[in-house]
Amino acid sequence: MQVEQAVDTLKADLPTLFEKDISYDIYTKDVYFQDPVNKFKGKINYRIIFWTLRFHGQLFFNEIYFDLHDVGQTAHDTIVANWTVRGTLRVPWKARIFFNGYSTYKLDKDGLIYEHIDTWDREPGEILKQFFRKGEEAIPG
């Protein structure tokens, strides 16, 4: 039941994470987060990373999207979400960003998420290089 609630919450929250805040009641207070550039523990820090994503998304992008492809339980204590981030930077050459990834969420015995690990399909430096390319050049064929 708790796993279903976590999956449903992720399905509702993730597509709009650049627009509005997510729900934090499905996470433990000491939730661990890791992606290719960040690593920290604690719900306060988790809240800050999502605020930072929204802030920088609005500041640096004309448009930015988090396309959620699917979310599902892959083991009794694991949920995986597959997604794409894409957007257009606020620069005269309209550079585009595009990368795929997946999030692995681990659940404790109460069904709360205690770990969130993001994996990206390319290195952060490769993603950053997209900022300096003109529009269509940044999007893989």
Side-chain angles (χ1 to χ4, degrees), residues 5 10 26 32 43 49 76 89 104 112 134 137-139 141:
Q5 181 185 351
L10 291 168
I26 61 170
Y32 174 77
K43 198 183 280 193
I49 198 80
H76 79 281
L89 276 162
T104 304
L112 295 175
K134 274 190 164 169
E137 293 176 31
I139 299 175

Side-chain angles (χ1 to χ4, degrees), residues 45-117:
N45 294 323
Y46 200 67
R47 291 180 82 105
I48 290 169
I49 198 80
F50 280 98
W51 179 88
T52 303
L53 282 171
R54 283 191 312 282
F55 178 78
H56 287 114
Q58 297 301 314
L59 185 64
F60 295 118
F61 291 86
N62 286 326
E63 54 184 19
I64 187 159
Y65 303 99
F66 189 93
D67 298 326
L68 183 62
H69 305 301
D70 64 323
V71 181
Q73 185 176 1
T74 58
H76 79 281
D77 65 344
T78 307
I79 297 169
V80 174
N82 293 293
W83 44 263
T84 300
V85 171
R86 61 187 173 88
T88 306
L89 276 162
R90 288 185 197 277
V91 290
W93 58 93
K94 296 182 177 7
R96 293 192 181 181
I97 185 173
F98 180 97
F99 66 99
N100 298 298
Y102 63 92
S103 301
T104 304
Y105 301 92
K106 290 294 209 171
L107 295 99
D108 67 10
K109 62 179 174 33
D110 298 320
L112 295 175
I113 296 169
Y114 69 87
E115 182 181 273
H116 171 179
I117 308 288

